[in-house]
């Protein structure tokens, strides 16, 4: 700054203020100093600024799921959420540190100004681990009365209820729910589904695979079909991949979808529309959710009042 001050014929403090875009320096002088700095090859020292402010201007985005070949990070969940998060944070001048639960104790994560958690984990285990860090935290998932914190998520109960209403309209009676209800979001989907069935005479069986993949849906459904006298005419799966796997197992057992069995998934991923037959699914507005997550973590970092928020869902009816 002393070098720039000598060239510009101003004081060092004026250079400092100009580079910080301070209103104490005229626009003309600011532009003059910035032009000189550019010509001289100077770059703003972000690390020094962050050290002075006591902030890193970064947010750690922790993905609870463990990436695997059958459930990659390139899937719409979490990719659409990440798109919304990144758009909002970079616009606000923050960088995104993308990581997994296995790496939350590393310096880039511990040095972040706040955390966004995508997925609560079984029994909320992921939430408990991140809360111990003491950093501002916003969660994508389902609100839990026993687990305080700021949560953004879809209206999972309404989503589950919309599936029940569809099955009632179709006259389906023997129903299967496929999903691990130890996860808060899945539990809410199942609860909304069961509540909407009400006093109607429906038999509901819950199958609990420990993954959300195509293979888990296929294996779970195949094992159920291997049992004798297990009549059913509708399946509600907690994710599209589970639903697709279930459909494969059903068709391999020489049953027709939707002729004999109706199947509905959850998430409305791009693959749902191109699947054969095209999968009926509950749509989540994931990109909007990502933007909300980013706005709320910025609010917490800036010590502003922030509240949890629920997004609407929509049943997209296709061929199953």
């Amino acid at each position: 700054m002393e070098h720039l001050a000598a060239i510009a014929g101003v004081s060092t403090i004026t250079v400092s203020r100009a580079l910080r875009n301070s209103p104490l320096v005229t626009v003309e002088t600011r532009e003059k100093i910035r032009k000189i700095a550019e010509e001289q090859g100077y770059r703003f020292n972000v690390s020094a600024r962050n050290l002075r402010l006591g902030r890193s201007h970064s947010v750690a985005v922790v993905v609870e799921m463990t990436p695997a070949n059958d459930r990659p990070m390139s899937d719409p969940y979490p990719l659409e959420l990440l798109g919304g998060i990144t758009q909002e944070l970079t616009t606000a001048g923050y960088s995104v540190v993308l990581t997994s639960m296995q790496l939350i104790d590393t310096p880039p994560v511990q040095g972040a100004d706040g955390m966004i958690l995508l997925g609560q984990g079984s029994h909320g285990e992921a939430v408990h681990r991140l809360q111990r860090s003491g950093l501002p935290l916003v969660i994508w998932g389902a609100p839990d009365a026993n687990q305080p914190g700021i949560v953004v998520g879809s209206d999972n109960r309404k989503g589950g209820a919309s599936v029940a209403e569809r099955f009632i309209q179709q006259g389906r009676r023997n129903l299967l729910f496929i999903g691990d209800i130890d996860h808060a979001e899945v539990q809410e989907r199942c609860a909304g589904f069961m509540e909407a069935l009400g006093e109607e005479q429906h038999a509901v069986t819950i199958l609990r695979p420990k993954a959300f993949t195509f293979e888990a849906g296929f294996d779970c459904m195949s094992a159920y079909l291997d049992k004798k006298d297990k009549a059913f005419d509708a399946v509600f799966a907690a994710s599209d991949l589970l639903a697709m796997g279930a459909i494969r197992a059903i068709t391999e057992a020489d049953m027709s979808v939707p002729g004999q069995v109706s199947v509905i998934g959850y998430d409305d991923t791009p693959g749902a529309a191109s699947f054969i037959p095209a999968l009926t699914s509950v749509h989540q507005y994931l990109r909007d959710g990502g933007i909300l997550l980013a706005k709320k973590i910025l609010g917490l970092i800036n010590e502003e009042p922030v509240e949890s928020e629920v997004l609407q869902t929509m049943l997209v009816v296709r061929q199953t």
Side-chain angles (χ1 to χ4, degrees):
M1 286 193 292
E2 290 176 357
H3 184 200
L4 295 178
I7 296 173
V10 298
S11 66
T12 304
I13 189 64
T14 299
V15 172
S16 175
R17 287 171 176 167
L19 295 178
R20 286 188 285 113
N21 209 28
S22 169
L24 296 175
V25 181
T26 66
V27 174
E28 181 182 358
T29 302
R30 271 184 269 164
E31 290 178 353
K32 174 185 175 181
I33 292 172
R34 285 178 182 276
K35 184 178 180 180
I36 292 172
E38 186 176 342
E39 290 172 351
Q40 295 295 314
Y42 281 85
R43 296 290 182 270
F44 187 69
N45 191 326
V46 175
S47 297
R49 178 204 63 181
N50 292 344
L51 184 62
R52 177 173 56 83
L53 296 176
R55 286 189 178 182
S56 65
H57 279 79
S58 68
V59 171
V61 179
V62 183
V63 182
E64 184 272 331
M65 65 173 273
T66 301
N69 289 333
D70 54 1
R71 197 186 183 201
M73 290 285 285
S74 56
D75 276 356
Y77 175 87
L79 204 56
E80 284 191 40
L81 281 171
L82 290 170
I85 291 168
T86 303
Q87 173 188 317
E88 195 66 25
L89 289 180
T90 54
T91 300
Y94 277 73
S95 59
V96 177
V97 179
L98 178 61
T99 189
S100 63
M101 289 297 297
Q102 291 83 357
L103 299 173
I104 60 173
D105 294 324
T106 57
V109 177
Q110 293 298 311
D113 295 332
M115 292 183 178
I116 295 174
L117 173 62
L118 304 184
Q120 293 156 298
S122 180
H123 301 291
E125 292 170 0
V127 178
H128 295 307
R129 283 192 64 190
L130 264 62
Q131 283 177 333
R132 288 196 289 270
S133 73
L135 291 173
L137 174 65
V138 178
I139 304 153
W140 172 265
D144 185 344
N146 300 316
Q147 197 173 69
I150 303 301
V151 179
V152 174
S154 294
D155 191 337
N156 289 287
R157 279 185 179 255
K158 183 178 178 182
S162 68
V163 175
E165 290 162 6
R166 176 69 177 170
F167 287 159
I168 291 171
Q169 290 170 3
Q170 295 178 316
R172 304 297 185 177
R173 290 290 178 181
N174 297 302
L175 317 177
L176 298 182
F177 177 87
I178 301 179
D180 184 0
I181 56 175
D182 285 341
H183 290 258
E185 289 180 278
V186 177
Q187 186 179 57
E188 285 291 289
R189 291 166 197 175
C190 185
F193 179 64
M194 301 291 284
E195 287 173 4
L197 293 174
E199 299 301 322
E200 298 283 341
Q201 297 299 310
H202 294 94
V204 181
T205 301
I206 298 176
L207 308 181
R208 300 176 62 175
K210 289 300 179 182
F212 295 86
T213 63
F214 181 98
E215 287 75 11
F218 178 83
D219 292 343
C220 180
M221 192 74 254
S222 296
Y224 188 78
L225 287 165
D226 285 342
K227 299 176 181 178
K228 302 297 182 183
D229 302 321
K230 293 295 183 181
F232 63 98
D233 55 12
V235 176
F236 174 27
S239 77
D240 284 350
L241 288 175
L242 284 172
M244 293 173 189
I247 290 173
R248 175 67 62 81
I250 291 167
T251 55
E252 287 190 3
D254 295 324
M255 299 172 70
S256 66
V257 176
Q260 292 173 273
V261 182
S262 292
V263 180
I264 297 179
Y266 209 101
D267 291 333
D268 190 30
T269 58
S274 58
F275 190 73
I276 299 175
L279 179 65
T280 297
S281 183
V282 178
H283 182 78
Q284 295 197 87
Y285 296 91
L286 295 176
R287 184 175 172 278
D288 293 343
I291 291 172
L292 274 176
L293 287 164
K295 286 183 175 180
K296 291 184 185 297
I297 194 61
L298 291 173
L300 289 179
I301 290 169
N302 293 319
E303 299 182 349
E304 298 169 354
V306 174
E307 295 182 352
S308 296
E309 193 160 341
V310 176
L311 290 82
Q312 294 302 306
T313 58
M314 177 178 66
L315 181 66
V316 180
V317 177
R318 296 193 179 95
Q319 297 175 358
T320 62

